[in-house]
Amino acid sequence: MRVPMIAGNWKMNTTIGEAAELVNEMRQGLDAIDNVDKVICPPFVSLAAVRGLIEGSSIKLGAQNMYFEEKGAYTGEISPAMIADLCEFVIIGHSERRQYFNETGDIVNQKVQAALKVGLKPILCVGEKLDENEAGRTKEVVTEQLRSSLAGIDYLGGLIIAYEPVWAIGTGRAATGRQANDTIGLIRHNISELYDEKIAQDLHILYGGSVTADNATEFMQQPEIDGALVGGASLKAGQFLSIVRQTSEIR
Ligand code: PEP
């Protein structure tokens, strides 16, 4: 049995004070739900403060990105060890990183390797763009992204995959439960080919893309979907709590 996970990606939102307020609003409610893994991913600058606020609770912490080099003259970058000091998880290869910061499959691969090396659990994001989806290329694109991201990696550690169709992120146009379930099934199949069936069956694969309190149930009812990576709705305590609650009731 895979324990479901709901992870909130706060993106470039919240000052330290606002992050603290948001955590304080949701901490008690989230902590009361124990059959779902709850992860929040605030901006780098709030990680230390948020970590203090969730100490002793069942809420887990993730970062939104990291650099793959260990240390050195990389002004403005954050190393894997710096993240591992504070967090259990790190989002890698989010489509906004690929789109606005030119992260290629090779960079994503190096980041996954570097995260695993320091014991972080990468939340690896893959997903097709709208034109690729409309051209019927979803399967091909997702398979290629997955294989390039995991090239040369023998041990997946606590890696999690998030299937996030780019056309569904922040658009209010979510995939259907069935679409997401089919592609996540394909990802699991790829993992069984690259590794083995046991690893594939144990792997957590999330759906992400305009998940809200109104459509969460549709995704959580799907057998292949192990939870959600939530952007916009994770910035509203009531919405995020409702998504976690619905997940807890279904599983
Ligand atoms: C995301 O940022 O990973 C995401 C899925 O965003 P949203 O839920 O806002 O579509």
Side-chain angles (χ1 to χ4, degrees):
M1 269 293 278
R2 300 183 293 265
V3 174
M5 169 183 289
I6 303 295
N9 173 15
W10 294 6
K11 311 196 189 194
M12 196 175 73
N13 295 293
T14 69
T15 59
I16 298 175
E18 289 163 348
E21 231 173 87
L22 186 54
V23 173
N24 287 333
E25 266 183 84
M26 55 171 97
R27 182 179 44 201
Q28 215 182 348
L30 287 179
D31 198 28
I33 300 166
D34 57 10
N35 61 344
V36 177
D37 276 335
K38 301 135 301 192
V39 182
I40 51 176
C41 306
F44 287 135
V45 292
S46 296
L47 287 172
V50 169
R51 185 181 140 124
L53 291 171
I54 59 175
E55 211 179 324
S57 81
S58 57
I59 305 167
K60 299 175 178 182
L61 195 59
Q64 299 173 20
N65 180 34
M66 51 158 244
Y67 195 44
F68 52 76
E69 292 289 355
E70 270 177 40
K71 58 163 75 169
Y74 303 102
T75 303
E77 291 296 334
I78 311 280
S79 78
M82 293 173 193
I83 300 297
D85 242 6
L86 291 163
C87 299
E88 186 176 339
F89 297 89
V90 58
I91 299 172
I92 292 180
H94 191 282
S95 67
E96 288 153 14
R97 301 286 326 162
R98 296 179 194 256
Q99 185 181 349
Y100 304 129
F101 302 97
N102 304 319
E103 282 196 10
T104 60
D106 179 53
I107 292 173
V108 171
N109 175 255
Q110 292 189 68
K111 289 188 174 189
V112 173
Q113 299 206 35
L116 290 170
K117 199 169 160 195
V118 295
L120 279 163
K121 297 174 181 167
I123 302 177
L124 168 65
C125 302
V126 295
E128 81 286 1
K129 297 190 192 118
L130 183 61
D131 60 329
E132 294 164 338
N133 178 279
E134 288 176 345
R137 295 182 54 226
T138 299
K139 194 172 165 179
E140 172 200 335
V141 170
V142 169
T143 300
E144 201 290 313
Q145 279 181 355
L146 196 63
R147 291 184 179 238
S148 67
S149 305
L150 298 177
I153 298 175
D154 301 327
Y155 175 64
L156 293 185
L159 179 123
I160 287 149
I161 294 174
Y163 167 56
E164 299 209 305
V166 179
W167 47 270
I169 298 179
T171 59
R173 180 186 163 193
T176 64
R178 187 163 174 191
Q179 276 174 324
N181 192 68
D182 286 354
T183 307
I184 288 178
L186 164 82
I187 292 172
R188 207 178 295 288
H189 176 71
N190 267 288
I191 295 292
S192 78
E193 279 188 357
L194 287 170
Y195 299 92
D196 64 40
E197 186 57 25
K198 162 105 177 68
I199 289 174
Q201 287 308 321
D202 288 346
L203 181 74
H204 280 75
I205 312 180
L206 315 179
Y207 166 74
S210 296
V211 174
T212 65
D214 294 330
N215 62 18
T217 294
E218 180 183 349
F219 296 108
M220 299 318 148
Q221 283 171 334
Q222 305 292 329
E224 292 288 355
I225 302 181
D226 300 317
L229 180 55
V230 183
S234 71
L235 290 165
K236 296 179 193 118
Q239 281 266 332
F240 193 63
L241 255 170
S242 170
I243 294 168
V244 173
R245 264 197 209 111
Q246 292 177 52
T247 306
S248 153
E249 280 157 17
I250 291 163
R251 300 299 174 110

